[in-house]
Structure formats: structure tokens, C-alpha cells
Amino acid sequence: MKKAIVICAAVFFAVFSGQGWSQTHSDAFRGKIHDPGKLQPTDSQLKVKEGDEAPDFSLPSISGDMIALGRYRGKKNVVLSFVPAAWTPVCSDQWPGYNIVEPMFREHDATLLGISVDNIPTLDAWTRQMGGLWFPVLSDFWPHGGAAEKFGILRSDGTAERALIIIDKKGTIRFIKVYDINKRPPLETLMKALERLK
Amino acid sequence: MKTEILLALVISLCFCFFCPGDAVSGDQEKPPRAGEAFPAVLLSVPENPASRSYLGLSSEAGTFEIGSIKARLLVIEIFSMYCPYCQKEAPKVNQLYQKIENDSHLKERIKLIGIGAGNSAYEVDVFRKKYNVRFPLIPDPGFEIYGQIGEVRTPFFFVVKISREEKPHRVVHTELGGLNGVSRFLEKTANLLKSADRED
């Protein structure tokens, strides 16, 4: 009987644990969002850990520059914000928040790089819909997901995980967290991690 | 033993299929329209004494129901720190608050709050500081209130008539998106206040 109760509880939890969470839908994206439904929270295996040297990469940005991670070595702390895909609900609801906290990044002598596996035209159109962003947005489109793969955050469907990575001025990974793809990471987690760089 | 396990699975799955998720979470599919009851949401009591005083709340912690607010009409903005339109609209909503506060007749009768859908207290505070918001902003980190009011696009404005009796509070006006003119919205709300007074 005990086993039966446990099974009932497990099935109930599995079905309803997703209820009660959601994401907001800014009117800025009215009629423009593709909702993929609820996805497997994570789908990759990290290849790096905190304390490791960050793998270098060079990616094109929507402004037309090639940006290499190495350019910040010795100059700035870097926050990498990988998001899975443009024009999807949670991703469209993440970077616009970072757009109003530039001073908080500056306070920690950090810059932010937004990265997705979408191509440049898609990223350009998407970020224009956000009203423009202060930080560089990089396309990890070709070789597809190459930068995400170096960190071990490329999912089996070719999208990146929703991940935040902090790399200090020495090029060392000081914070790495892969979040549930269906949820937006709380801002305070990132800011607390930046505070720990001091 | 096998029969027990099979029975448990069948019972669980039957329950899952026949009991809609909304019934479990209490979520409302569509936002209430004018004339309909505003859901009985519970809001966190603001930590800031000035915000508590503005709303006329006696408790210093825990939660409150909108009926505790000393006002006739309550303007509720559903916003998110992460919403570009809410960011753009913030100075206009501040103007609305200031215009109400500058009017001795309206200031005691119309109150304004923001509910940060999916925003933690930290995130709401970032928004408050960024735009120098002086009316109370209330966090809704788990989307509970957002679910109850029908998962609206943001920003979304409800004007709710606060009931003095044991009746539900009624939505008297809603607007999706920007205020479409601060003076226009204020005039509309002032007219709704007159109607609310006439009904009493």
C-alpha cells in the first residue's frame, strides 16, 4: 500500500510540478513569439568548471565586429549570457532586464556578452524589437554552437542552454551555472556572483 | 504487488487527465474584464513604511488583501523589470502617480500599485531605483498573482473598485500596453471614481 501511495505522489508531482510557474509576455513582442512549450530543463554536460581557464572563442556580433573573449583578458571581467533561441518566451524576457542594469556591471568592472546560436539577421531583428541593447550580442551560428560546445552547454537539438558564466580578468571561470531552460535566472544570483569577484 | 502498482498508476493518471491544471493552481485563463470580480489576491506588505502609510496598511509584515487599502479605486499596473515596454512606460506611470498625489480630492481616493510579475523583491527594487518609482511595487516572484489575474501581457493596467462590504472587488477598467496619454488615463479614472460614488 505504501508503495502505491508513493507512486501516486510521484506521478502527481511529475505532472503538476510544472504548474504555477510561467513567464511574463511583454507587449513589445505581441504576436511575434514562438512558444516551444515546456522543454527538458537541461540537456548537456558541462566541459568546464569554476577555477578552469575559460576556452577562448571569437564570434561575430550584430554590430559587425568579431569579438574574441581574449580581448578582455587583463582588462575586464566578462559575463557570458547564453540563451537558447531568439523569439522565444523566456529568452525575450531576459536580456531586456540586463539592459537597465549596465551601471551594476560597470560597478564590478564587468562587461556582458549575450550569445545565442541564432544567425546575425535574426539576432539583429530580435534585439531591435527589445529597443536595442547596450552590450554586444554575438552569434554562435557557425560553426553551429561552436562556443557553446567548448563550455559543454550545447543541447542535443542545436540550441544552447540558458547559462551564465563569469570569467575574471585572468581568464578564469569564477561562476558557471546552467539554468532550467524554461525559467529566467534571478538577477540577484548573477549580481551576488559578481560581488564575489572583489 | 503488481496489481497495487498498476492500480496506483491508473488512479494517478485518471486524476491528472480529469483534473485540469488550472483547478489545481488556481490560475485564471483570461484576465477579468470591466464588470467582473478581481481575483482575491494576497500581496506582500511593503517593507517601506512610506508605502505602508500610502496604502493605509496597519500590518508591518506578511500579506494583505486589496480591500485593506484605504481607497475607493485602485490602479494596478502589472509590470516586469524585464519588459521593455514597462521600462519605457515607467516615467509616464510616475507622472500619473504624481498627478493623483497633487490633487487633494483624488489622492485620498485613488491609489496606485505595481505588481512585478515573476520579479523577486531584488528585481522590483532594481526597477524602483532605476525609474525612481514612488508608489508601492510588490514582487510576485513565483508568478502566483500573475497566474490568478490571467497572465496578461505587460504592462497591463486594472482599475479596481474596492468594495466596502463583503462583496468582491470589481474591475471597472482595463488597459493593455501603455497609458496612451497620462491625462487621458487620469480623466478616465476620475470619471470612474464619480461613477463609483454615484453607485454607493
Side-chain angles (χ1 to χ4, degrees):
Chain A
M1 190 59 188
K2 265 186 191 169
K3 215 170 208 174
I5 292 169
V6 168
I7 291 169
C8 278
V11 172
F12 183 85
F13 181 75
V15 174
F16 289 111
S17 58
Q19 302 285 343
W21 72 266
S22 183
Q23 68 276 321
T24 44
H25 300 279
S26 171
D27 202 39
F29 294 101
R30 188 194 301 202
K32 297 184 174 73
I33 293 294
H34 169 76
D35 189 348
K38 191 166 187 191
L39 302 171
Q40 187 179 321
T42 59
D43 180 31
S44 61
Q45 195 68 45
L46 278 175
K47 291 181 176 172
V48 293
K49 61 182 187 306
E50 288 169 14
D52 287 354
E53 185 178 356
D56 200 12
F57 59 79
S58 184
L59 293 173
S61 77
I62 56 172
S63 61
D65 306 333
M66 284 297 288
I67 293 188
L69 179 62
R71 73 149 72 167
Y72 299 101
R73 183 75 71 97
K75 295 173 188 159
K76 286 252 178 214
N77 299 307
V78 180
V79 176
L80 305 180
S81 168
F82 280 90
V83 295
W87 303 107
T88 54
V90 184
C91 301
S92 302
D93 205 21
Q94 184 174 343
W95 288 351
Y98 301 157
N99 216 23
I100 63 168
V101 293
E102 184 186 4
M104 295 170 88
F105 282 87
R106 269 207 311 266
E107 191 184 319
H108 296 98
D109 208 10
T111 194
L112 172 63
L113 301 176
I115 308 172
S116 100
V117 298
D118 297 283
N119 65 10
I120 290 286
T122 303
L123 283 173
D124 190 30
W126 185 47
T127 53
R128 278 174 200 267
Q129 194 65 31
M130 295 175 191
L133 298 170
W134 63 267
F135 51 89
V137 171
L138 312 183
S139 167
D140 193 15
F141 181 69
W142 202 257
H144 192 81
E149 181 60 18
K150 285 182 178 179
F151 290 89
I153 54 171
L154 189 65
R155 293 169 69 99
S156 58
D157 64 357
T159 59
E161 298 282 11
R162 188 177 312 287
L164 289 169
I165 302 167
I166 300 179
I167 297 153
D168 67 16
K169 291 177 190 174
K170 291 178 184 166
T172 304
I173 297 172
R174 298 286 297 275
F175 174 85
I176 183 162
K177 187 161 172 65
V178 176
Y179 291 85
D180 179 342
I181 196 169
N182 304 290
K183 295 181 182 179
R184 188 182 56 223
L187 183 63
E188 51 268 48
T189 312
L190 175 60
M191 291 305 155
K192 278 177 189 163
L194 278 172
E195 278 164 22
R196 288 198 295 271
L197 291 180
K198 286 177 183 170
Chain B
M1 184 60 81
K2 269 185 186 170
T3 318
E4 244 178 40
I5 291 171
L6 197 65
L7 184 67
L9 277 170
V10 168
I11 292 171
S12 306
L13 289 172
C14 281
F15 183 78
C16 296
F17 283 121
F18 292 111
C19 178
D22 287 353
V24 173
S25 63
D27 286 359
Q28 175 158 328
E29 275 185 11
K30 286 183 180 172
R33 292 176 297 186
E36 295 179 346
F38 189 77
V41 296
L42 282 177
L43 310 171
S44 310
V45 172
E47 282 183 18
N48 181 350
S51 292
R52 293 200 298 270
S53 166
Y54 169 75
L55 298 174
L57 301 176
S58 49
S59 51
E60 294 184 4
T63 56
F64 69 99
E65 194 261 329
I66 61 171
S68 316
I69 297 173
K70 301 279 184 293
R72 195 73 191 96
L73 292 184
L74 178 65
V75 179
I76 304 172
E77 182 196 12
I78 309 298
F79 77 100
S80 167
M81 188 207 99
Y82 294 87
C83 153
Y85 276 13
C86 305
Q87 297 164 0
K88 200 174 161 191
E89 201 63 12
K92 293 179 195 164
V93 186
N94 283 344
Q95 280 177 35
L96 174 68
Y97 165 78
Q98 204 51 60
K99 277 177 183 277
I100 294 169
E101 287 302 287
N102 290 346
D103 185 310
S104 57
H105 175 66
L106 299 181
K107 70 179 285 191
E108 299 302 325
R109 305 166 66 71
I110 303 174
K111 299 291 176 185
L112 174 58
I113 62 169
I115 296 176
N119 290 183
S120 63
Y122 181 93
E123 289 164 332
V124 157
D125 208 40
V126 166
F127 190 87
R128 183 182 62 75
K129 286 177 185 159
K130 172 76 182 176
Y131 297 104
N132 193 24
V133 178
R134 294 176 60 200
F135 56 89
L137 297 180
I138 293 158
D140 176 28
F143 291 102
E144 281 90 0
I145 301 165
Y146 187 63
Q148 280 180 277
I149 51 101
E151 301 198 355
V152 292
R153 294 193 174 281
T154 54
F156 193 96
F157 295 87
F158 288 101
V159 182
V160 179
K161 180 181 161 189
I162 295 179
S163 172
R164 289 178 178 138
E165 300 151 26
E166 292 299 310
K167 288 193 296 190
H169 311 295
R170 292 272 161 205
V171 175
V172 289
H173 183 62
T174 62
E175 278 193 31
L176 167 63
L179 286 175
N180 193 20
V182 175
S183 299
R184 183 204 61 83
F185 188 91
L186 182 62
E187 192 183 331
K188 172 89 188 166
T189 310
N191 286 335
L192 290 165
L193 179 63
K194 283 180 195 162
S195 303
D197 286 342
R198 275 199 300 272
E199 284 168 18
D200 291 342

